[in-house]
Amino acid sequence: MSTNAAHAIQVIGIGAGSPGHVTAEAAAALAKVDVFLVADKGGSKDELVAVRRAICDRFIPADHAYEFVTVPDPKRGPDADRDTEAYAQGVRDWHAARTDAYVQIIEDLPDDAVVGFLVWGDPAFYDSTIRIVDAIGERIDTRVRVIPGISAFQTLAAAHGIVLHRVGEPVHVTTGRRLVEEWTRAEAAGLHLGTVVVMLDGHLHCRELAATHPDTVIHWGAYVGMPQQELRSGRLADVIDEIVELRARLRQTHGWVMDVYALTPA
């Protein structure tokens, strides 16, 4: 049972799905964790929990006992427009519910137990684990260490064998919901975004650019780094319909899909 000692927490980036993405630093950190806390979203996404288990089994020595605790993920509110306060409040409530669940577990652990959070990709890119761990630290004393991981867009670039930026140009990272707005606003202001890397785009908003920017080049990948990896690339107007159809088929087959893409203006 916890007293007043600070709880050690490791936030570990484990890459985009392949055990080969686990760095030596991450592997060493895995071997020090006593209790892994993993959000269980249930249903078809059980495979994501299974991959995390497999990574632990591979890199943690057999003589190190550890526990793998799946925590039912609180339900999020309605998926409102992400630019509204309602959406922001919904995310805050969701994070607060996650924090409550994790604090209840951590408080019941021995003081010397090391807690681990496994983060898909890298903890710094479009992931809320660090924010939630910060919230945990506001409730109980913690000592936190973050171990970086290979991100999905690093894996995408490697899989396609490309350099994300052209010489002297920037790279812009955004989400699907913001893509068209930011692209249009930049053009109106005479700004050049360079290559745009798009995360979290379940609706492939790049379709909206195909008619007005047909020569834009897309490099797309689903399940990058995993055995079921799928890649497509080419002129946006030529390949977007195939990508949309393939993505829908993959989601139906596997029950879930994680993809990422990069757009390079003509």
Side-chain angles (χ1 to χ4, degrees), residues 61-76:
D63 60 354
H64 178 73
Y66 66 93
E67 188 176 359
F68 201 90
V69 179
T70 56
V71 183
D73 199 30
K75 291 185 178 180
R76 292 179 57 173

Side-chain angles (χ1 to χ4, degrees), residues 3 7 24 35 66 83 92 135-136 139 206 216 246-249:
T3 56
H7 294 273
V35 179
Y66 66 93
D83 292 328
R92 287 193 291 269
I136 292 171
R139 303 263 297 273
C206 58
T216 296
L246 175 58
R247 189 186 194 281
R249 179 155 41 89

Side-chain angles (χ1 to χ4, degrees), residues 44-117:
S44 59
K45 294 187 178 180
D46 285 348
E47 183 180 348
L48 300 179
V49 176
V51 171
R52 288 174 169 87
R53 286 184 180 275
I55 286 175
C56 289
D57 290 343
R58 174 165 175 174
F59 290 101
I60 297 177
D63 60 354
H64 178 73
Y66 66 93
E67 188 176 359
F68 201 90
V69 179
T70 56
V71 183
D73 199 30
K75 291 185 178 180
R76 292 179 57 173
D79 192 14
D81 186 333
R82 296 196 176 203
D83 292 328
T84 67
E85 175 57 27
Y87 174 80
Q89 185 59 52
V91 172
R92 287 193 291 269
D93 292 343
W94 179 42
H95 288 175
R98 271 189 171 185
T99 300
D100 289 342
Y102 292 143
V103 166
Q104 289 178 24
I105 295 172
I106 294 171
E107 284 185 323
D108 286 337
L109 296 176
D111 290 336
D112 59 353
V114 178
V115 176
F117 289 90

Side-chain angles (χ1 to χ4, degrees), residues 69-204:
V69 179
T70 56
V71 183
D73 199 30
K75 291 185 178 180
R76 292 179 57 173
D79 192 14
D81 186 333
R82 296 196 176 203
D83 292 328
T84 67
E85 175 57 27
Y87 174 80
Q89 185 59 52
V91 172
R92 287 193 291 269
D93 292 343
W94 179 42
H95 288 175
R98 271 189 171 185
T99 300
D100 289 342
Y102 292 143
V103 166
Q104 289 178 24
I105 295 172
I106 294 171
E107 284 185 323
D108 286 337
L109 296 176
D111 290 336
D112 59 353
V114 178
V115 176
F117 289 90
L118 304 177
V119 177
W120 209 263
D122 185 277
F125 296 110
Y126 290 103
D127 185 86
S128 296
T129 302
I130 292 176
R131 294 189 183 95
I132 292 170
V133 168
D134 287 343
I136 292 171
E138 294 174 359
R139 303 263 297 273
I140 57 178
D141 288 336
T142 59
R143 290 180 290 108
V144 179
R145 181 182 176 215
V146 178
I147 294 88
I150 295 175
S151 68
F153 60 79
Q154 288 176 288
T155 308
L156 177 78
H160 282 284
I162 61 172
V163 178
L164 285 177
H165 68 89
R166 293 185 293 198
V167 176
E169 293 190 359
V171 173
H172 182 75
V173 182
T174 190
T175 63
R177 286 178 179 263
R178 295 188 176 276
L179 170 63
V180 176
E181 176 190 354
E182 292 178 358
W183 188 294
T184 304
R185 189 191 314 140
E187 281 193 330
L191 301 176
H192 182 53
L193 296 178
T195 295
V196 179
V197 177
V198 185
M199 317 281 284
L200 304 175
D201 191 4
H203 299 286
L204 290 173

